[in-house]
C-alpha cells in the first residue's frame, strides 16, 4: 500500500528518534507530535466534510442508552479519569444517528485537554416537556471565548482565526443537523459546561 509524504514523515522521525542523541531525539519527538496533531486535524476535516454531504435524516434516539454506552467505553479507555452519569431510565430525542459521535467527542475533549491528575467529567441527561437536555461538565481549562463566540455565531470566522481544534466544530454541525442547540458556560469553580438541547419526537 502506497503512503503519502505526510504519512511517512512521522515514520521517518520515529526511526531517527529511536537511534539519535538526546538533542536530535528531542527534535524528532517534536516532529512526531506535530505530525500526529496535523493528521488528526485532517481526519476531522474529512469527517466534517463527509457529514455535511450526507442527507439529513432524523430518528428517535434513546439518549440515556447512548450516554450509558459512552460512559462504559470512556471508563475503559481512560481508567485514570473520573466519569459520572445522571440520567432517567429512558429519554427519547429526535436527532441524527451521528449524535453518539458528538457526545464521544465532548467526553474525549474533556479528558484530552484536562490539566488535572485525575480528570473529572460528569454527564447529566434531563428529560423536559418538549426537549432533552444533555450537560457535559468538566474541571479542565476553560474553552477560549473566541472559539465559543464563533461556534455560537456571535462572531464570524476571520481569515486569521485559528481554533484549538475541529472537535467542537464537528459537535456543532451534528447538533445543528439534529435541529438542536449547543451552548457553553463556565463551570464553578473551574472548567466547562457544554449543553446540547434536542427536540423530542412530535
Amino acid at each position: 500500500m502506497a503512503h503519502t509524504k505526510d504519512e511517512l514523515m512521522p515514520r521517518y522521525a520515529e526511526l531517527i528518534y529511536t537511534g539519535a542523541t538526546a538533542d536530535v531525539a528531542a527534535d524528532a519527538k517534536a516532529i512526531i507530535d506535530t505530525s500526529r496533531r496535523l493528521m488528526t486535524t485532517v481526519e476531522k476535516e474529512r469527517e466534517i466534510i463527509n457529514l455535511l454531504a450526507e442527507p439529513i435524516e432524523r430518528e428517535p434516539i434513546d439518549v440515556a442508552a447512548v450516554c450509558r454506552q459512552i460512559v462504559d467505553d470512556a471508563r475503559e479507555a481512560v481508567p485514570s479519569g473520573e466519569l459520572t452519569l445522571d440520567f432517567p431510565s429512558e429519554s427519547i430525542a429526535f436527532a441524527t444517528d451521528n449524535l453518539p459521535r458528538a457526545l464521544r467527542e465532548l467526553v474525549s475533549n474533556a479528558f484530552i485537554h484536562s490539566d488535572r491528575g485525575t480528570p473529572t467529567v460528569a454527564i447529566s441527561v434531563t428529560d423536559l416537556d418538549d426537549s432533552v437536555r444533555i450537560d457535559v461538565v468538566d474541571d479542565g481549562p476553560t474553552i477560549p471565548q473566541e472559539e465559543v463566540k464563533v461556534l455560537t455565531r456571535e462572531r464570524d470566522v476571520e481569515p486569521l482565526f485559528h481554533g484549538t481544534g475541529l472537535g467542537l466544530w464537528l459537535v456543532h454541525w451534528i447538533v445543528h443537523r439534529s435541529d438542536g442547540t449547543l451552548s457553553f458556560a463556565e463551570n464553578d469553580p473551574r472548567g466547562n459546561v457544554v449543553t446540547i438541547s434536542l427536540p423530542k419526537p412530535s
Side-chain angles (χ1 to χ4, degrees):
M1 179 179 176
H3 297 280
T4 66
K5 290 182 180 179
D6 289 341
E7 290 172 329
L8 290 173
M9 183 188 297
R11 297 190 181 195
Y12 290 145
E14 286 170 0
L15 289 174
I16 295 171
Y17 177 73
T18 56
T21 62
D23 290 343
V24 175
D27 291 339
K29 181 66 163 54
I31 293 172
I32 293 168
D33 293 343
T34 301
S35 298
R36 286 175 176 166
R37 285 196 299 270
L38 289 172
M39 290 173 69
T40 299
T41 298
V42 170
E43 290 170 2
K44 288 276 175 64
E45 286 179 343
R46 187 178 298 119
E47 192 172 0
I48 292 172
I49 291 169
N50 291 339
L51 172 71
L52 295 177
E54 295 175 356
I56 298 177
E57 296 181 0
R58 303 184 185 100
E59 60 187 44
I61 293 178
D62 185 352
V63 175
V66 169
C67 288
R68 278 196 298 271
Q69 185 60 56
I70 289 171
V71 167
D72 289 344
D73 293 344
R75 283 173 175 162
E76 184 174 342
V78 191
S80 61
E82 186 175 312
L83 184 58
T84 61
L85 176 60
D86 180 19
F87 60 96
S89 59
E90 183 181 78
S91 187
I92 307 298
F94 202 54
T96 69
D97 61 4
N98 299 115
L99 178 64
R101 178 69 183 87
L103 295 174
R104 284 193 182 91
E105 186 67 33
L106 290 179
V107 173
S108 175
N109 268 355
F111 282 127
I112 289 173
H113 296 292
S114 177
D115 56 358
R116 298 281 188 154
T118 303
T120 299
V121 180
I123 305 175
S124 64
V125 179
T126 306
D127 204 60
L128 303 173
D129 291 339
D130 56 357
S131 65
V132 175
R133 192 183 77 221
I134 309 158
D135 294 305
V136 180
V137 183
D138 67 60
D139 61 352
T142 304
I143 299 170
Q145 278 300 307
E146 291 80 4
E147 186 156 344
V148 169
K149 288 178 180 178
V150 171
L151 288 164
T152 55
R153 305 295 180 88
E154 295 177 44
R155 170 181 171 181
D156 294 331
V157 179
E158 298 171 359
L160 296 179
F161 174 79
H162 298 283
T164 56
L166 291 176
L168 290 179
W169 281 101
L170 179 61
V171 174
H172 163 80
W173 282 112
I174 291 173
V175 173
H176 178 74
R177 288 164 65 86
S178 296
D179 200 24
T181 60
L182 178 67
S183 60
F184 302 85
E186 292 187 11
N187 189 22
D188 185 19
R190 79 190 301 264
N192 306 278
V193 180
V194 183
T195 300
I196 295 175
S197 183
L198 299 166
K200 286 185 173 181
S202 57

